[in-house]
Amino acid sequence: MSVPDYMQCAEDHQTVLVVVQPVGIVPEDQFFKIYKRIASVSQVNIRDSQRLLYIRYRHHYLPENNEWGDFQTHRKVVGLVSITTCDTVKEWPQTAERFHGQKEVYSSTLYDSRLLVFGLQGEIAEQQRTDVAFYPSFEDCSDVEKRVEDFVESIFIVLESKRLDRATDKSGDKIPLLCVPFEKKDFVGLDTDTQLALLHAGMLQDALVHYHMAVELLKGVNDFLWLGAALEGLCSASVIFHYPGGTAGKTAGRRPSISQAADAGKRHRPGALTANGISADTSTEIGRAKNCLSPEDIIEKYKEAISYYGKYKSAGVIELEACVKAVRVLAIQKRAREASEFLQNAVYINLGQLSEEEKIQRYSILSELYELIGFHRKSAFFKRVAAMQCVAPTIPEPGWKACYKLLLETLPGYSLSLDPKDFKGSHRGWAAVQMRLLHELVYASRRMGNPALSVRHLSFLLQTMLDFLSDQEKKEVTQSLENYTSKCPGGMEVITLPDGLKLPPVPFTKLPIVRSVKLLNLPVSLRPHKVKGLLGQNMATASPFIYSPILLHNRSDERSKKIDFQWVQGDVCEVQLMVYNPMPYELRVENMGLLTSGVEFESLPAALSLPAESGLYPVTLVGVPRTGGNITVNGYHTSVFGVTSDCLLDGLPNVKSSGCLVEVIPSLPRLQLSTSLPRSAPVAQPMSKEELSSSVSVQLFNGETQQLTITLENIGTEEIEGLELTSKTVTTKEKVYGEFLSWEMEEALSHLPLKPGQSVTLTVSMKVKLDFSGQENLLQDLNDDGISVTGLPISSPLRQVLKPRPENKSVSSESGKAEYSHIKTLEAVLTFKYSGGAGKVEGYYRELSLGVHVDVEPSVFFTRVSTLPATSTRQCHLLLDIFNPTEHELTVSANNNQDLVLHASECQRMAIQVDKFDFESVPQPEMEPARFTNLRHMEEERQHARGCQINSKLGIGWTIISFHCLPDGEASVEGVLNQLVLEHLQLAPLQWDVLVNGAPCDCDVVAECKVGDAVSLEVKLTNMSKNTVGPLALTVMPYQDFQNGVQNYDLDDAVTFIGSNTFNIGSVSVQECVGALLFLYTGDFYLNIKFQDDSAGRQLPLAWFTLPSVHIRALDTPLQAGA
């Protein structure tokens, strides 16, 4: 016997062997379908008996193995079931003859046989025969199992009759003794058939007694082969007693017999198994069964029996099978180390010249047994040896499919899984062995003609073993992968093998390695803003509690991932990845894009090339959301080495992310801005905390006005339905007079709605008016140049006291240059708010910000300002010392005044006669209590309003005549007006008008009269103040001025009053006093009108009581004719 039965176990000694074989041509699938039904009848409860008969079926059994049936009867074929197909009656004789020939093969041991005929119908099929069963088809055979049970009962009857005949036989020495095939016929054997017959018949206790007797007898004659058989039989009977469930495992387990079940009910309780696999309360039963071995003794006897078998070279199969049986028992007892010793012995048993198929079977069974005792790596080793044996060079047609299947089965033993998700955290197993195994899988799948499998396994090798590959190995693996993918590109589909095993996709998450993922906000000009009144409409339902742990728990995941900005439908959105190339050479990544969910998203793939071991490298992936809602960035997809990968963020270890969920709002229009001025580079320090969409820079002289033309073009797909423009000056250290930026929106708004592709133009006026009069460095530089600035103390009421000038200042030094730079900066932000489309309905708009940066150079400014009284009480002279700090010649002009030409760095005085101002009639600024924190600020605003009135009245302007474009601007005096000057320029609330002979007397007007004529004098008082004036006393005193400082008031002989020269005035708003004078001599006379205030009016300013100077010239009366 050269072919071992590796499926044997100890309880098989209790079974009878039945062979099931086809006769003639039977479809393989139909044969095994019937075979499985037959094999399901593995034990039969014999009628009229309390015993069970166990059957072991084989569909392939060598006749030479049957020769060992005398040695161990469970190896003897006692039953034959043949399956055949017969379609016609003519075929029946030939079929019957073939069946008879099959029986002849096992005729020496056969007890009974059956023939199952499928397809034959008619008279023959209707015959009632015990050894033949006819069925119309393989589907119509419902009583196959019943036929098999009857067949097994017939075998039991023969077996029982033989046992009884042997028990009642008194012939003694005439009993034929048994021999094994290699023993000589004259060699005396032993009758062990009786013991085995008892086991087959279910009489366990009797079998134990006989086995013990045989062991004792054989020990005396030193027949070691049969002694080993007796010991193995004793072990098998003891195993059957201790383990009624069997030792073959769950699939081959057996149901206990009725008698055994009754005994087991006394011995076994559920859940009461010990480490040896038997119940803890079996000691009493074992004590009663004195002939039964204990679990420990079973193993010892197995060792002894195997040692006896080892003495015979021809008993190698018996020895090997005994080792296998012992291992199965030890597996039940959980004694893995001792079981491994039996297996190690089995490895070295020489069975002679084995075929390749037998070698594969041997290694596979060794692998299964090692797996059974928990030696997974050892099991994988023998499974891999079996796989390599399938494709041995000596095999004409290598079985690559079988090799591949066996290699797959070795993976768990080497802690290897084909699912990349299992390779998180620390690496398990021996990487070198795992890589070797993966290479063998790649090669086997290629030889199978399945390149997709090769690509999948090679991708898995590169992804999971990248850290263990050398630089040369990385290069070789990637080259092989590119060769495979050139014929069969790799993808993310699940590969299903013929046996149902599914190979999950292998995304290249390490090619490249991603360290961080960051969703980027839209550019400043495209970011949506929510209308303030609508901020709370889309928020989650608010809780009435300040803190609710339930709500916090429910929303924590979303809050931790959702980002606080929005994307807009139809606009390009960006996600930044920080990637790293671990390969020692340049890595080309093609078709890299985003994987999203939640909304319809159009990914715009990118291609990149990462240098070798690049370090962290930023990569920006873009796409366009086509619908609104919440979008989740789940990961990215790549194409590397011809393998397409979908890399999910959840499967990426150590990836930093600030959130993956962002809201996509409905589409909004897009506005593009262009200006008449060139765009400027961003300044070193931003104008404000807000980012600018664009910026322009211009350099102007103080007081100059320039027009900025802004063109707005709709470059989006939505109409612009609303447009607003606001400005904000961000320079706070400089005081700006007037409006810096001004515009008119009516023309632009008339073009709304603005369709896509259309544009609108808007003009913004930039007018810079700053105060340069109080710059200390500039004034000190003027003193250095010998320019008089004596009027400086009244230059600016807001400036601080001048600091002492540092001595020996070096103008050539860097600090000196910085101090000498008198350019001031004025910055503002123009913000366009616009909206339209579906986004406007949801309350969203966009902002487009234009930064305006103006460098202001001083044009002309006033170093001194003072006033002189004019001849009229309603006018005065304003004296201005004007300085030209520029390097150009310029002209200064004023209303009703001659132009003044100033050369570079020249200072001249300009006198302007102006009408006094009625500041009380100036509209007061709207003074909100929150705007002005104290009275000082309020007074500044009031003074500014007065300065604006004075500045507009003066109309001082300048023009640089050396420039081709003749830039011009305004020169403002607002910053140099102090309180004293304002008082001089203010029109007194009490206005006095003096009329001589009905003509106003003011502005150097000389009133003429004739000597001797009565001259009427009229004084008119108008009270424009809010206070009550009076009562007053008015006295008119004439005098003569000799122009040498002497004034003569003694004019009683020259001037006389008609009536009184004193008038009383009560509390009035308008009062007129009328009187008359008579001049007696010729000459120039002046009238000095004095007041005497007898009331609280003494507290009024003296300037209120300034009357015009009255100059009267008395002329001779011409002589009349004939006088």
Side-chain angles (χ1 to χ4, degrees), residues 302-567:
Y302 262 125
K303 290 181 180 179
E304 187 177 350
I306 291 171
S307 66
Y308 293 147
Y309 290 151
K311 296 178 181 293
Y312 299 89
K313 184 177 181 180
S314 300
V317 173
I318 305 296
E319 181 185 1
L320 178 60
E321 290 181 355
C323 288
V324 172
K325 296 171 189 175
V327 168
R328 296 188 187 278
V329 175
L330 286 169
I332 293 292
Q333 297 180 358
K334 300 183 179 359
R335 296 161 65 179
R337 186 180 298 276
E338 294 178 62
S340 67
E341 295 176 359
F342 278 92
L343 283 176
Q344 193 68 24
N345 180 67
V347 170
Y348 295 107
I349 295 176
N350 184 13
L351 298 181
Q353 194 70 24
L354 297 178
S355 66
E356 298 298 336
E357 184 177 353
E358 291 171 343
K359 291 178 182 178
I360 295 171
Q361 184 185 19
R362 182 178 184 182
Y363 294 136
S364 299
I365 293 299
L366 285 173
S367 172
E368 292 178 6
L369 292 174
Y370 272 114
E371 184 70 25
L372 183 65
I373 63 175
F375 281 36
H376 305 294
R377 192 164 60 242
K378 198 80 168 180
S379 169
F381 170 80
F382 281 103
K383 188 80 72 175
R384 178 177 169 274
V385 172
M388 295 297 102
Q389 201 65 46
C390 292
V391 292
T394 55
I395 299 180
E397 296 182 0
W400 287 106
K401 290 185 178 180
C403 172
Y404 179 81
K405 184 176 182 299
L406 290 173
L407 286 176
L408 287 180
E409 295 174 2
T410 64
L411 297 179
Y414 291 115
S415 301
L416 194 59
S417 164
L418 293 181
D419 190 350
K421 295 180 181 179
D422 297 335
F423 282 79
K424 295 181 180 179
S426 58
H427 190 86
R428 295 177 62 248
W430 294 345
V433 177
Q434 292 171 343
M435 288 190 290
R436 176 66 181 270
L437 185 59
L438 290 172
H439 275 296
E440 291 170 351
L441 282 173
V442 172
Y443 186 75
S445 56
R446 184 177 71 85
R447 294 299 300 270
M448 286 167 53
N450 194 335
L453 270 181
S454 301
V455 171
R456 179 60 51 86
H457 291 313
L458 205 53
S459 301
F460 183 84
L461 169 64
L462 189 59
Q463 167 68 17
T464 59
M465 303 295 167
L466 185 65
D467 298 337
F468 304 99
L469 293 173
S470 65
D471 290 349
Q472 182 63 28
E473 288 173 334
K474 290 178 183 177
K475 187 175 181 180
E476 293 174 355
V477 170
T478 53
Q479 287 178 347
S480 300
L481 182 59
E482 287 179 325
N483 291 335
Y484 284 125
T485 54
S486 63
K487 303 175 182 177
C488 179
M492 290 298 294
E493 66 279 356
V494 176
I495 297 179
T496 303
L497 300 178
D499 58 356
L501 179 64
K502 297 181 182 298
L503 298 184
V506 182
F508 278 157
T509 59
K510 293 184 178 180
L511 297 172
I513 298 173
V514 176
R515 292 301 185 197
S516 67
V517 177
K518 181 181 180 182
L519 276 65
L520 301 182
N521 200 350
L522 293 174
V524 181
S525 59
L526 299 180
R527 293 176 188 173
H529 302 272
K530 187 78 169 178
V531 177
K532 290 184 179 179
L534 303 176
L535 282 179
Q537 289 187 2
N538 296 328
M539 296 177 65
T541 304
S543 171
F545 302 102
I546 296 176
Y547 169 77
S548 174
I550 301 177
L551 293 177
L552 181 64
H553 174 73
N554 292 339
R555 303 176 187 171
S556 59
D557 293 340
E558 182 180 0
R559 185 182 297 112
S560 63
K561 290 186 177 181
K562 193 168 185 178
I563 304 176
D564 58 355
F565 57 77
Q566 293 89 25
W567 285 349

Side-chain angles (χ1 to χ4, degrees), residues 54 156 166 200 232 289-290 327 457 564 572 574 577 614 711 750 791 793 824 854 916 998 1102:
Y54 295 96
F156 176 79
R166 185 65 56 86
H200 293 325
E232 185 182 358
K290 296 181 180 179
V327 168
H457 291 313
D564 58 355
V572 176
E574 298 178 332
L577 280 65
S614 61
T711 302
S750 64
K824 292 188 177 183
V854 181
K916 291 187 177 182
L1102 185 60

